[in-house]
Amino acid sequence: MFALVDCNNFYASCERVFNPKLQNKPIVILSNNDGCVIARSNEAKQFIPMGAVAFKYESVFKQYKIHVFSSNYALYGDLSQRIMNILEQFTPDIEVYSIDEAFLQFKGFENYDLQDYGITIKNRVKKWTGIPISIGIAPTKALSKIANKIAKKFATKTKSVYVIHTEEQRIKALKWTKITDVWGIGWRNAKKLMADGVRTAYDFTQLSDALVRKRFSVVGLRLKQELEGKFVLKLEEVKTKKAIATTRSFRNDIVAFEELKERIATFSISCAEKLRKQNSYCSILMIGIYTNRHRKEQTQYRNKIIMELPYATNSNITISKYALKGLQTIYKKGLKYKRAGVIVMGITPKPIKQLNLFFNEHPKHEDLMQVIDNLNHKYGADKLKLANQDLQHTWMMKQERLSKKHTTNWSELLEVK
């Protein structure tokens, strides 16, 4: 049996943990630089659509007394990790699916009452972290997704835990689930299916295997089999990322090359740090710069370049050096740039570093990067920088409505009076 554990309105719930006055109040969370709405509490959903541009809805926020917060990823990430650590106490088989979701597999739990076990999990997470969760349990991952939706929709009746035990329950759940809500279908495929008269997950399972495979490939066929109760999809192990990106919109337009150069250097160093955290190297860079597409009166320009490195690396010095070479190639003078980014690709794990017969990195780079990482970890991020970064300025996103970090910053710990 599989369980899908999903945190209810996770970002909003994180804000409520340390501010109980927000219980039952409408809350929205904004994206990077406070651009648009990326999360809403149930109370806010009737007033604010997902993706709403924040400045256009200021009057709505005020009218309905909606509490607005900047994304507090340090807090959300820490609470997510605490929840995942709790879930590992109940089974060793866990797949962290996203920041607020995880699949659990129950092997050897045949004699357990999984309804009661799920309630025990839910209660412990709520007691230890303050975050409410819903749990769906079923014979397959796809069915556990549907069971979770039922647990969330009928929270009072199910106590936020629903188990699909029988064939009757499976069929009833599939007939209740709209095809647009089926995990892995996507809106494009859902639109095609509805044109053919497929309205529910149950309708989808009534199609022939040959037709599903022809229309939606083997991936669609596996999903159909999962919905039929056939165990196909296993838990996925944590894998090394195939690409790592650091992209940002700027608070103000950037014109000067030197200022844009500093941003690209900082973004490339951020990517290098992420590479070292997962013990990997990269051999390809992609650098992109973009003007503001919403300012039609300005000259529009967007360009990117791919740089092949002469050797695999995770060095701040090497990656920033080649990123700046790429920037020089695509930069156009006199334009107002709103966004830029660096993506590292061709990622390989540390033991499989590809060497070059003629060119190789300075052997002291690796030791130097370890010293930089240790010092920044000890004394705070960005305490030690390269000279091509702004030594007086730490890049900060626009976060005018940021709550305290509470669990990740000593100076912002909760005070009890």
Side-chain angles (χ1 to χ4, degrees):
M1 296 288 278
F2 291 87
L4 176 69
V5 177
D6 184 16
C7 301
N8 301 341
N9 301 314
F10 181 56
Y11 290 176
S13 294
C14 289
E15 298 292 347
R16 284 170 171 161
V17 168
F18 297 96
N19 189 353
K21 293 180 181 178
L22 295 174
Q23 294 294 339
N24 303 316
K25 301 290 178 62
I27 299 172
V28 298
I29 311 297
L30 303 180
S31 62
N32 290 342
N33 290 318
D34 293 347
C36 61
V37 174
I38 59 168
R40 306 162 295 165
S41 67
N42 289 336
E43 298 83 359
K45 289 178 180 179
Q46 59 181 314
F47 307 117
I48 308 293
M50 184 65 84
V53 178
F55 77 88
K56 292 183 178 179
Y57 278 80
E58 285 292 346
S59 59
V60 181
F61 295 154
K62 292 177 182 177
Q63 180 182 354
Y64 295 104
K65 298 180 180 179
I66 295 172
H67 299 265
V68 184
F69 293 94
S70 302
S71 298
N72 191 341
Y73 292 120
L75 176 64
Y76 307 155
D78 183 63
L79 286 175
S80 172
Q81 185 59 54
R82 291 169 188 243
I83 291 168
M84 300 309 163
N85 290 341
I86 294 170
L87 297 180
E88 288 175 352
Q89 298 173 6
F90 292 91
T91 174
D93 302 307
I94 178 172
E95 174 193 335
V96 179
Y97 187 64
S98 68
I99 192 171
D100 62 345
E101 288 181 288
F103 284 106
L104 311 181
Q105 187 172 9
F106 298 124
K107 294 178 182 176
F109 283 70
E110 289 79 13
N111 296 324
Y112 277 66
D113 184 325
L114 291 180
Q115 177 73 26
D116 288 344
Y117 199 59
I119 291 173
T120 301
I121 296 172
K122 183 200 72 168
N123 290 342
R124 185 173 298 180
V125 170
K126 184 70 167 72
K127 184 177 181 179
W128 289 13
T129 68
I131 302 295
I133 64 173
S134 298
I135 304 176
I137 302 174
T140 69
K141 289 173 74 174
L143 285 173
S144 72
K145 270 275 190 180
I146 291 177
N148 185 278
K149 288 182 182 295
I150 295 172
K152 192 172 288 188
K153 179 72 174 178
F154 306 101
T156 303
K157 185 176 180 180
T158 63
K159 297 182 180 178
S160 296
V161 177
Y162 185 71
V163 184
I164 295 178
H165 277 298
T166 66
E167 183 69 2
E168 182 183 359
Q169 286 176 309
R170 182 187 72 83
I171 292 173
K172 186 176 180 181
L174 293 182
K175 288 182 177 180
W176 174 81
T177 305
K178 297 177 182 177
I179 191 63
T180 51
D181 293 334
V182 175
W183 177 50
I185 288 291
W187 68 269
R188 284 192 179 90
N189 287 333
K191 193 174 180 180
K192 293 177 184 177
L193 287 165
M194 287 191 290
D196 292 337
V198 176
R199 295 284 183 269
T200 66
Y202 179 77
D203 295 338
F204 180 66
T205 62
Q206 299 309 294
L207 300 176
S208 69
D209 286 357
L211 177 62
V212 172
R213 178 157 190 164
K214 181 179 179 181
R215 294 276 300 275
F216 307 106
S217 77
V218 69
V219 176
L221 179 59
R222 287 175 184 158
L223 176 59
K224 176 179 180 289
Q225 292 170 339
E226 281 268 313
L227 295 174
E228 290 171 337
K230 301 171 185 174
F231 169 46
V232 178
L233 301 177
K234 299 179 181 179
L235 294 184
E236 293 183 7
E237 297 180 359
V238 177
K239 298 179 181 178
T240 298
K241 293 181 179 179
K242 296 181 180 179
I244 293 173
T246 300
T247 61
R248 295 285 187 274
S249 294
F250 310 131
R251 188 174 296 188
N252 300 308
D253 293 344
I254 291 179
V255 178
F257 177 73
E258 288 301 317
E259 192 176 353
L260 191 60
K261 178 180 171 183
E262 192 278 332
R263 290 293 86 219
I264 291 294
T266 297
F267 296 168
S268 61
I269 289 167
S270 174
C271 290
E273 290 169 350
K274 293 173 185 176
L275 280 170
R276 294 196 294 275
K277 282 183 179 178
Q278 66 171 38
N279 292 316
S280 298
Y281 298 93
C282 75
S283 57
I284 300 171
L285 301 180
M286 187 170 76
I287 300 90
I289 51 176
Y290 313 88
T291 55
N292 191 340
R293 60 188 176 89
H294 299 293
R295 300 293 296 273
K296 303 298 183 184
E297 73 280 6
Q298 296 179 0
T299 302
Q300 295 295 307
Y301 177 71
R302 51 193 295 125
N303 202 354
K304 56 189 176 183
I305 186 171
I306 293 178
M307 307 284 292
E308 290 193 29
L309 305 181
Y311 41 77
T313 180
N314 59 18
S315 165
N316 293 1
I317 298 169
T318 304
I319 292 176
S320 63
K321 171 186 171 182
Y322 283 93
L324 295 180
K325 282 186 177 181
L327 175 63
Q328 286 178 324
T329 304
I330 61 176
Y331 173 78
K332 278 192 176 182
K333 188 177 180 180
L335 300 182
K336 295 181 178 181
Y337 294 96
K338 184 62 178 174
R339 185 165 59 92
V342 175
I343 301 175
V344 296
M345 300 176 289
I347 294 177
T348 54
K350 197 169 185 177
I352 317 175
K353 182 178 181 181
Q354 180 65 49
L355 301 177
N356 187 308
L357 185 62
F358 302 103
F359 302 100
N360 273 304
E361 197 164 66
H362 195 292
K364 291 186 178 180
H365 274 216
E366 196 145 328
D367 291 337
L368 177 60
M369 293 305 111
Q370 187 173 350
V371 170
I372 290 174
D373 290 341
N374 289 342
L375 289 173
N376 283 337
H377 178 74
K378 185 175 182 179
Y379 296 107
D382 299 321
K383 291 294 183 184
L384 196 59
K385 299 182 179 182
L386 297 188
N388 58 12
Q389 295 179 269
D390 187 341
L391 304 181
Q392 305 301 320
H393 173 67
T394 299
W395 175 252
M396 297 291 288
M397 290 186 293
K398 180 183 177 184
Q399 294 179 309
E400 296 175 347
R401 293 157 164 169
L402 186 65
S403 57
K404 290 184 178 182
K405 296 183 175 63
H406 294 297
T407 64
T408 61
N409 189 316
W410 283 106
S411 63
E412 297 184 13
L413 291 178
L414 189 67
E415 294 181 4
V416 180
K417 298 181 180 179

